[in-house]
Amino acid sequence: MTPEDTDVWLLFPPLVESNFGSFFPSTAVLAAYLEQQGIGTVQTDLNEEFALWLLHSRESDRSTVGPRPAPESSAAAAGRWLARSRDRMVGPDGRHRFGPDSPYGHVLQLMAQQYLVDPGEDVLERREPALRAAVPYQDFYDQAELAERVPAGVALFGVSVPMGPQLLPALVLAECIKRLRPDVPVVFGGPALSLMHPSELERLLAAWPAVDAVVRFDGEFPLRELALQAREGTWDPGSVRGVSCLTPEGVRHNEPGAGPAVNALPAPMYPPEALARLADPVIGITQARGCYWGKCDYCDFIELYDGSPPFRGRRPDRFVAELRHLSRSHGVSRFSFITESIPPAFARRVCTALVEEEAGLRWTSFAMVDRRFDQELLALMVESGCEFLVVGLETTITRVLKLVHKSADREENLRFLRDARDVGLPLVVNLIPDLPTTTYEEAMTALSDLEEFADGMRSVSVFPFEPTRSSNVGRAPEQFGLDVSIPSTTTGQAQYALNHLVSNDPAMTQEQRAEVHARYRAFADHVHALNSRGHTPDAGRAYAPDEALRVPVEDLDLFEAESGLVCTNMRTRGRAVVPARAARLLRPFLDGTPFTPRTLTEALTEEVGNRLLANLDRAAMLTAVPASGQVTCG
């Protein structure tokens, strides 16, 4: 594709820090459809470029949002460690090694936290706080030299905004490219816009005139019509279904039409040059749009396809054929199935085909706890190449699960965890410890249930409950025990305040909820540490008095604080504070020099020395020296 042949420039803006080291599939899916329709496209992943900007620019080159992170914070530790460990993140061949499978990928994510902006009223109405928060993104776009990259023949800019924290960076991007090419329309689309209330879209379009149109829900058909209009000089977004735009009479919201049949869509068009930058690329492939269950009251992803059937699934044979095609085309063997929850019958047919073909592919998917995922099917999934499943388990409290219309109960959740562990299928488990009406005692009971299965979990993500206005809970909060007359006094990890319902759940006190969140996060850290022990294989055992040990300084950030020496293991995420006296004793060994437990116990007394060893061990700050005496760095 030459610049003159380009009709649409598809851009993916920051900030989706969880997608660093990957290529988000939204622009690849749109590009494939547009190209099939004879509309030339170019794709640019500015989120990945933002990761490199964070990694390689000096602190003095970057603006920061608000106060800088405290020196003892994990974010500050991440910045110090990255400054001396960039070779862990980018290989000698220039390929990015900070993807989801990297033991250090989360470090770059930590560093990005200070740039996250939860879009609220300030963003919507272009207030001063939003403009201040936008400065780092303006700096980034300036360094990205967009002027030299705009395709000469471009007729339309398409900006994909799946996630809430992308909204402000996307709006800044719109202004940047509009200054470069004021004659070219800028079109936004994606879930972050689709979930926005029409009245909020009206305010956004009024405050940010660089955005010419917003596509809501399925984007293929509206984007095609808008691209053709722009290319042919007949620009009239108000005539396109599923589009919101500003007209002389005010903002017009057109009802969406039905989206495309997913089995008729072409294979996504991933840019080879973008995949070539990744150390071990994973390609996303659409399994379905919508959820085959679609009843969870707290979920708003089922609201993303207005105008279309609530669930559109792929045919297994076409899906497997697309896997083969993408694998051959890109030389890639790893795939992420794009779905809210893979249906068991579909999984069985696809896995059987992959095993019979000896395809040698590896894949991951979201899944729901479903009794039809029996042990036999889970074992078949492992045999077919499933690396892990992402499961929205949420809790094990049957009463709460039934209240929000989850499919499974406690017994089924525990059965699923047990069967997956028994067949060797790792799980990425998502938890919401304080779903509506959950009491402190129930949250602790669920945590006790989960702790038994820690060794079968690949990782754990904890999501404090935040009701969204576009979900059933948000539409009828009183039915779920929420009080909207009393503002919430707790904060979770809101990333899209515009869609959040301010409410209070009296089932727990503020102090109880804070403790629950802390306990669950500690459990998540424990699971992460278990899965990072490959670098410290002997952690958790008793050490002989004269055994040679070392501090894995290559993985550590060390910071002198008033409380002592703060040690953060960037691989395992473990943290320990070594008191000043013990820190002085350890200092000669903080270059990786071996020592023995006897060294500590003799200098500190046996009791204190053993306690220090135990604390260092828990935080993965010790590793045994190989018998050869050679120290290796991961």
Side-chain angles (χ1 to χ4, degrees), residues 441-634:
E441 292 75 17
E442 287 174 327
M444 291 296 105
T445 297
L447 181 59
S448 178
D449 285 340
L450 295 163
E451 287 171 338
E452 179 185 346
F453 299 96
D455 57 345
M457 298 178 186
R458 177 187 174 99
S459 66
V460 170
S461 294
V462 180
F463 299 96
F465 181 69
E466 292 162 335
T468 58
R469 293 188 298 168
S470 53
S471 67
N472 285 341
V473 172
R475 285 189 284 266
E478 296 84 0
Q479 294 181 19
F480 299 90
L482 301 182
D483 186 349
V484 294
S485 67
I486 305 175
S488 174
T489 54
T490 62
T491 57
Q493 52 182 42
Q495 292 196 346
Y496 199 12
L498 291 173
N499 194 33
H500 290 155
L501 177 74
V502 178
S503 62
N504 187 66
D505 185 350
M508 286 191 222
T509 66
Q510 180 179 356
E511 293 74 21
Q512 287 175 329
R513 198 176 306 274
E515 182 183 346
V516 164
H517 292 166
R519 292 279 296 274
Y520 273 72
R521 287 175 175 138
F523 172 64
D525 290 341
H526 170 65
V527 172
H528 296 152
L530 286 177
N531 286 285
S532 302
R533 292 300 195 184
H535 197 58
T536 54
D538 299 311
R541 69 167 175 83
Y543 295 106
D546 294 311
E547 183 175 0
L549 304 175
R550 61 181 293 270
V551 177
V553 291
E554 63 280 356
D555 286 339
L556 301 185
D557 171 71
L558 304 173
F559 179 74
E560 296 277 2
E562 290 185 10
S563 55
L565 182 66
V566 181
C567 306
T568 306
N569 189 313
M570 306 313 297
R571 175 184 280 262
T572 67
R573 315 184 196 192
R575 286 171 70 84
V577 179
V578 181
R581 179 185 173 195
R584 286 193 295 272
L585 180 64
L586 276 180
R587 193 159 285 110
F589 310 113
L590 295 181
D591 60 358
T593 299
F595 64 97
T596 68
R598 191 185 302 277
T599 306
L600 300 184
T601 56
E602 288 182 348
L604 294 170
T605 75
E606 184 172 357
E607 179 184 354
V608 175
N610 285 334
R611 190 161 62 244
L612 173 60
L613 279 172
N615 289 336
L616 292 172
D617 179 84
R618 266 195 302 275
M621 305 299 178
L622 293 178
T623 187
V625 176
S628 65
Q630 299 297 314
V631 173
T632 59
C633 297

Side-chain angles (χ1 to χ4, degrees), residues 163-201:
M163 308 296 181
Q166 289 180 287
L167 186 57
L168 177 62
L171 292 167
V172 177
L173 174 62
E175 295 197 326
C176 289
I177 55 182
K178 200 69 170 179
R179 285 194 294 269
L180 297 173
R181 291 293 302 272
D183 57 315
V184 177
V186 177
V187 176
F188 276 26
L193 284 306
S194 297
L195 292 175
M196 195 177 291
H197 192 273
S199 64
E200 293 169 342
L201 275 176

Side-chain angles (χ1 to χ4, degrees), residues 41-55:
T41 62
V42 168
Q43 303 173 60
T44 298
D45 184 356
L46 291 169
N47 188 62
E48 189 74 355
E49 294 185 24
F50 190 80
L52 292 177
W53 181 70
L54 286 174
L55 185 60

Side-chain angles (χ1 to χ4, degrees), residues 138-368:
Q138 182 66 62
D139 293 346
F140 163 65
Y141 294 136
D142 289 344
Q143 294 185 36
E145 299 179 338
L146 296 175
E148 288 74 34
R149 301 165 67 175
V150 178
V154 69
L156 184 142
F157 298 115
V159 183
S160 174
V161 191
M163 308 296 181
Q166 289 180 287
L167 186 57
L168 177 62
L171 292 167
V172 177
L173 174 62
E175 295 197 326
C176 289
I177 55 182
K178 200 69 170 179
R179 285 194 294 269
L180 297 173
R181 291 293 302 272
D183 57 315
V184 177
V186 177
V187 176
F188 276 26
L193 284 306
S194 297
L195 292 175
M196 195 177 291
H197 192 273
S199 64
E200 293 169 342
L201 275 176
E202 293 168 12
R203 293 157 65 195
L204 182 145
L205 288 167
W208 299 87
V211 181
D212 294 285
V214 170
V215 172
R216 292 171 290 117
F217 311 111
D218 287 271
E220 286 86 356
F221 293 165
L223 189 58
R224 172 184 176 275
E225 294 303 314
L226 293 172
L228 290 175
Q229 287 182 359
R231 188 173 70 180
E232 296 166 6
T234 59
W235 182 247
D236 182 21
S239 66
V240 180
R241 299 194 72 174
V243 167
S244 294
C245 62
L246 192 61
T247 72
E249 293 75 34
V251 174
R252 180 184 178 94
H253 300 288
N254 293 329
E255 289 297 316
V262 293
N263 285 297
L265 289 173
M269 183 179 289
Y270 286 93
E273 67 278 6
L275 295 183
R277 294 189 301 176
L278 309 179
D280 191 8
V282 178
I283 284 183
I285 174 172
T286 300
Q287 185 275 316
R289 290 188 181 178
C291 177
Y292 77 91
W293 176 249
K295 298 178 183 178
C296 297
D297 291 304
Y298 57 89
C299 179
D300 50 22
F301 286 103
I302 59 175
E303 312 287 338
L304 293 175
Y305 304 108
D306 196 6
S308 297
F311 178 72
R312 286 165 285 165
R314 296 286 302 278
R315 284 174 42 188
D317 57 338
R318 293 178 67 93
F319 185 82
V320 173
E322 189 170 303
L323 284 171
R324 287 195 300 263
H325 164 72
L326 290 170
S327 180
R328 287 195 303 266
S329 300
H330 297 288
V332 170
S333 62
R334 301 184 67 203
F335 293 89
S336 172
F337 296 176
I338 303 170
T339 180
E340 301 304 329
S341 184
I342 187 170
F346 178 91
R348 189 178 298 275
R349 292 179 64 183
V350 166
C351 292
T352 299
L354 293 176
V355 170
E356 290 175 349
E357 293 182 10
E358 298 182 349
L361 304 180
R362 294 174 291 161
W363 60 274
T364 65
S365 178
F366 278 87
M368 184 178 74

Side-chain angles (χ1 to χ4, degrees), residues 375 378 382 414-427 449-457:
Q375 191 172 93
L378 294 173
V382 173
L414 299 184
R415 190 278 309 167
F416 188 94
L417 291 171
R418 186 176 300 107
D419 284 352
R421 181 178 63 184
D422 289 350
V423 302
L425 177 56
L427 301 177
D449 285 340
L450 295 163
E451 287 171 338
E452 179 185 346
F453 299 96
D455 57 345
M457 298 178 186

